[in-house]
Amino acid sequence: MKYDPEFCEREYNVRARVPEHPAILSRWAMQSVATRRLHACLLDLPYGEGPAERLDLFPTREEPSPLLIFIHGGFWRSLDKSDFSWIAPSFVKQGVTVALVNYGLAPQTPIEDMVRQTLASIAWLYRRADRYGIDGDRFVVCGHSAGAHLGAMSMAALWNVFADDLPEDLVKGVLAISGIYDLEPLVHAAFVNVDLNLDQERARRLSPLRYPAVPGVRLITAVGQAETSEFIRQNALIGQHWRANRVRDVLDPGRNHFEVIEDLPDPDGPLFKAALELVQRR
C-alpha cells in the first residue's frame, strides 16, 4: 500500500491536532505527584539493569490480588511512568494491584528493545508475585497509544520461548487503548520517524498485526470517538485480526487521543469497567 506523507502526518501527529496538550500533560504530572504522596507505593523497582528498566507498584491490602500492568504512551519517545500514577488509586480501591512500567525511549532505544523490556518487566513481576501479594494467574496488561502497541506485542509473545520458567498464557488479558498495530504508515510520518528510524521491513516486523495472539487471551479494544480516522482504523484492524480473542470494543464518546486515557480510572467510565472485567475473570 502506498501512503501519502501529508496524510500520515495529519492523521498521526496527535499533539499538533490537540494544541492544549501541554496543559494536559502538566496536569497529569501534578496529579501523579499528589497521588504518590497520598498512596502507598513502591517506586523505581528495577526489573533489569538499564536505567530505564524500572517500574512503580501500587499494592492493595488484599492478597493475593490481580495485577493491572499499565504501559504508557508517548509515541515510543516521550513521557514516563511517573506521569501516570493517578491511574492507580481507583483500581487499588477495588483490590487490584497496579504496576506502572518504564522502558527506554527513542531515538536512544529501538522499538525492538522496548518490546523486550516490556516482556522482561512482566516476567519480573510474575517471578515475584508471591513477594508482592499478587496472583500470578491474574495478570492483565493495559496500554495507551505506543503502550497499547507494546501491550499487544505481549499478547503475541511466546512466553515459554522468552524464558522456560514462564507459562504460555502469562498475560490473561489486554486492554488496548488507541494503539498503533500496523506501523508501516509511520515510515512516512517524518515528525516521529526522525526518532524511530523505521523502514518498511522493521515496521512490518514490529507490527502486532503480523502475529497470532496467544489462544485464550482476552482482548478489549478501545478508541476515542473524536480521534483521527487512522487511529479508529488501527483499532478496528487489531480487533478484526484477533477477533477470536476480542471480547468487545469500547468507543469512548467525544474523547480525543489524550482525553481517552483520562477515562481509565473513572469508576463510572467504560474503560475502568473494561479493565475490571479483564482482571476479575480467571
Side-chain angles (χ1 to χ4, degrees):
M1 179 177 179
K2 185 176 181 180
Y3 291 98
D4 176 72
E6 291 185 5
F7 174 81
C8 293
E9 291 272 332
R10 184 172 63 251
E11 288 290 309
Y12 287 100
N13 193 345
V14 292
R15 293 195 178 193
R17 291 182 65 95
V18 184
E20 64 272 24
H21 73 266
I24 295 173
L25 300 181
S26 178
R27 182 173 69 248
W28 291 354
M30 290 188 293
Q31 290 174 337
S32 291
V33 170
T35 297
R36 292 192 295 274
R37 288 175 178 169
L38 295 172
H39 296 271
C41 52
L42 302 170
L43 303 178
D44 291 323
L45 297 173
Y47 66 82
E49 297 181 359
E53 295 173 353
R54 301 289 185 271
L55 61 84
D56 295 344
L57 200 66
F58 288 79
T60 71
R61 295 182 179 180
E62 302 178 20
E63 297 184 8
S65 69
L67 177 67
L68 181 69
I69 303 166
F70 180 76
I71 308 172
H72 72 81
F75 260 107
W76 302 273
R77 61 178 184 172
S78 67
L79 301 181
D80 187 273
K81 62 179 173 52
S82 63
D83 296 316
F84 296 90
S85 303
W86 47 271
I87 286 172
S90 295
F91 290 101
V92 172
K93 288 179 182 178
Q94 294 293 321
V96 179
T97 294
V98 176
L100 305 173
V101 173
N102 256 10
Y103 50 91
L105 301 176
Q108 290 80 12
T109 304
I111 296 179
E112 289 89 344
D113 286 350
M114 299 180 205
V115 174
R116 295 187 193 101
Q117 289 171 334
T118 301
L119 301 187
S121 71
I122 298 170
W124 186 92
L125 286 161
Y126 177 80
R127 293 172 180 138
R128 290 157 181 80
D130 289 344
R131 178 186 302 181
Y132 296 113
I134 297 167
D135 184 347
D137 196 41
R138 298 174 72 187
F139 274 42
V140 167
V141 173
C142 174
H144 172 240
S145 194
H149 162 268
L150 295 172
M153 293 296 276
S154 80
M155 186 169 165
L158 301 176
W159 287 106
N160 56 352
V161 174
F162 185 75
D164 58 14
D165 64 324
L166 303 176
E168 293 181 1
D169 60 344
L170 196 165
V171 171
K172 299 301 191 293
V174 173
L175 174 56
I177 305 170
S178 303
I180 300 174
Y181 312 105
D182 174 11
L183 272 58
E184 198 168 349
L186 300 184
V187 174
H188 309 277
F191 82 95
V192 66
N193 205 34
V194 65
D195 289 327
L196 301 182
N197 294 310
L198 292 171
D199 56 28
Q200 286 192 349
E201 181 182 351
R202 287 185 62 227
R204 290 171 181 167
R205 189 171 66 247
L206 289 164
S207 296
L209 285 176
R210 303 289 172 175
Y211 303 99
V214 175
V217 179
R218 302 184 310 280
L219 170 68
I220 296 180
T221 55
V223 70
Q225 190 179 39
E227 300 205 51
T228 68
S229 63
E230 276 295 279
F231 276 96
I232 292 172
R233 183 183 73 88
Q234 291 269 358
N235 184 68
L237 280 176
I238 196 65
Q240 181 179 13
H241 181 63
W242 287 345
R243 56 185 175 273
N245 298 77
R246 186 165 72 165
V247 176
R248 58 190 176 88
D249 181 53
V250 177
L251 183 62
D252 203 358
R255 307 301 265 173
N256 65 36
H257 191 74
F258 293 93
E259 294 167 338
V260 65
I261 192 59
E262 295 185 332
D263 284 347
L264 178 59
D266 177 3
D268 296 320
L271 295 181
F272 185 80
K273 294 175 182 177
L276 284 189
E277 179 181 342
L278 293 175
V279 300
Q280 291 176 346
R281 288 184 58 193
R282 289 183 180 268

